[in-house]
Amino acid sequence: MIVVLLEGQTDKGFIETLFTRLNIDGKVRVLGGNNPNKARRYINSFLAKSNNKIVILKDLHRHSQRMLQKIISLIERPPQVTVVIVKHAIESWFLADPAAIRTIFGHSKDINEPEKIPNPDEELDKIAQQCGKRYIKGLEIGRKFAQVCDIRLLKQKCESFKKFLEVVGI
C-alpha cells in the first residue's frame, strides 16, 4: 500500500481521487503544517503495520527550498519513505491543464511552465473571477481537478507531478 502524507484538504481530494482513477491502493493523511514530530509519528505508525511505501508531498508555497530541506531533514526517513517537493503548490498541477480549468471554471489560460508561478492558487482565482467564480481551496475542488485532468499533460508540464507518479509506480 502507498501512504501519502500531505499538507491540506485540496491536496487530499486530488490525491485520493487520482488514486481511485489510477487504481492505486493507497491512503492519504493530512499533516497540516511543518511539524516533523507529527510526520515521524505517521511514518512509524504506517511502517509498523506493514511494509507500506510512504510519500511525503510537501509544497514550496511560502517556503524557500532551503527552509523546506531543513524541515525535511528533521524527519528520520527509512528507505520506504520518499519526499516529493511540489513547486510551488498542488495548484501548479491544476494550472498545467487548460482544458480542466475550462471545464471547472468556464474560462482558461494556457500556462507553459506552471511550476514557475509562485502563487498558483491566486492565479487560479484570477482565472475563475473572469467568469464570476472564485477558486476556493478544499477537498471538493481537488477532487474535481483529479477527475478531469489530463495526466499526460501534467506529467509533461510539471516535473514534481512526474516524480510523484514515478514514486507511486506509474
Side-chain angles (χ1 to χ4, degrees):
M1 174 184 302
I2 297 170
V3 178
V4 181
L5 306 177
L6 42 72
E7 294 199 15
Q9 293 300 316
T10 306
D11 306 37
K12 182 180 186 205
F14 182 80
I15 298 300
E16 284 179 339
T17 305
L18 184 70
F19 275 12
T20 299
R21 189 172 159 191
L22 296 174
N23 245 358
I24 295 173
D25 181 26
K27 287 186 180 185
V28 177
R29 295 293 181 263
V30 176
L31 288 175
N34 294 305
N35 184 340
N37 292 326
K38 188 173 183 181
R40 197 173 303 119
R41 283 193 306 273
Y42 272 125
I43 290 167
N44 292 338
S45 170
F46 283 114
L47 290 180
K49 292 178 184 175
S50 66
N51 196 17
N52 294 310
K53 181 181 216 176
I54 299 174
V55 180
I56 300 174
L57 202 57
K58 290 294 295 171
D59 63 41
L60 281 177
H61 197 64
R62 299 184 192 99
H63 302 292
S64 69
Q65 182 105 15
R66 199 163 88 203
M67 168 71 164
L68 198 53
Q69 292 293 354
K70 184 176 179 180
I71 293 166
I72 291 167
S73 72
L74 296 173
I75 302 169
E76 296 167 20
R77 294 189 323 264
Q80 306 94 310
V81 179
T82 304
V83 177
V84 175
I85 297 175
V86 179
K87 297 176 184 168
H88 283 268
I90 201 158
E91 286 86 359
S92 298
W93 296 357
F94 304 168
L95 287 171
D97 187 350
I101 295 169
R102 189 175 300 105
T103 298
I104 292 169
F105 296 121
H107 182 75
S108 188
K109 182 177 179 181
D110 194 12
I111 298 172
N112 289 326
E113 298 180 276
E115 290 186 313
K116 288 190 175 182
I117 296 173
N119 296 300
D121 55 336
E122 291 175 12
E123 186 67 29
L124 276 171
D125 194 38
K126 288 177 191 172
I127 294 167
Q129 285 179 36
Q130 292 178 353
C131 297
K133 298 179 181 179
R134 297 299 308 258
Y135 173 74
I136 299 170
K137 293 180 176 230
L139 203 59
E140 199 53 41
I141 195 73
R143 287 179 179 150
K144 285 180 183 179
F145 270 103
Q147 289 166 352
V148 300
C149 73
D150 180 339
I151 293 168
R152 284 175 286 161
L153 188 57
L154 270 62
K155 278 175 65 175
Q156 178 185 340
K157 288 186 172 183
C158 299
E159 198 58 41
S160 61
F161 183 73
K162 181 179 177 182
K163 181 177 180 183
F164 176 74
L165 289 183
E166 288 170 0
V167 169
V168 298
I170 299 295

